[in-house]
Amino acid sequence: MNSALPPGYEISTAPERLDHALIHQWLSQDAYWALGRPREKQDLAIAASLNFGLYDSASGVQAGYARVVTDQSTFAWLCDVYIDPTVRGKGLGTALVSAVKEHLAPYGLRRVLLATADAHAVYAEVGFEPMGEPEKWMVLGEQ
């Protein structure tokens, strides 16, 4: 995968490359939507999802993460998108989300959803837009 990535970075869906401890640290300590998430929950989420790791090509150190919950046929939920604060501002978030979009394209999904409080512009660059007729949607659980 190489979705307009800045030089020196690569994206992989290989599960064995994921740094579970680092992902948990990022999300449970810095991501507003996952603060305090237990490591066991994060590991279960990773195991049941399609995962995307963003890596420094030279060192192999993980620099970002995204996961997708999907049936690979009709629906997907993009979540837990995170870029290490030390490398933000380089277009890595947009490149990561673009790679996810490209990876999902062959599935012919009817819709891919996500929720964000502060990164609308990043997702809009990749083609996401506000939900039409949000009054049709309902939620069970946290809002």
Side-chain angles (χ1 to χ4, degrees):
M1 282 179 210
N2 191 10
S3 304
L5 272 172
Y9 293 93
E10 60 189 5
I11 295 172
S12 172
T13 57
E16 65 276 5
R17 291 190 69 186
L18 296 171
D19 185 335
H20 289 238
L22 182 59
I23 293 167
H24 177 254
Q25 177 186 328
W26 283 339
L27 297 178
S28 69
Q29 295 178 21
D30 190 44
Y32 68 85
W33 65 90
L35 292 175
R37 183 183 290 168
R39 172 70 190 264
E40 303 77 36
K41 285 262 188 206
Q42 186 61 52
D43 286 344
L44 286 170
I46 289 170
S49 300
L50 173 59
N51 300 279
F52 295 78
L54 170 71
Y55 304 92
D56 178 289
S57 299
S59 68
V61 172
Q62 191 164 349
Y65 175 70
R67 75 183 177 91
V68 176
V69 180
T70 183
D71 61 9
Q72 298 182 357
S73 178
T74 62
F75 177 84
W77 175 268
L78 173 60
C79 53
D80 289 345
V81 179
Y82 188 91
I83 301 297
D84 188 295
T86 64
V87 295
R88 290 182 186 163
K90 298 180 178 184
L92 295 172
T94 301
L96 180 57
V97 174
S98 293
V100 170
K101 179 182 173 184
E102 290 171 16
H103 186 93
L104 296 176
Y107 298 159
L109 303 172
R110 182 170 177 190
R111 71 180 43 94
V112 178
L113 296 179
L114 65 86
T116 184
D118 60 358
H120 296 79
V122 170
Y123 298 108
E125 282 187 51
V126 180
F128 284 87
E129 54 191 42
M131 184 179 292
E133 302 183 277
E135 68 277 1
K136 288 185 176 182
W137 293 84
M138 298 183 73
V139 63
L140 177 65
E142 278 187 44
Q143 291 198 39

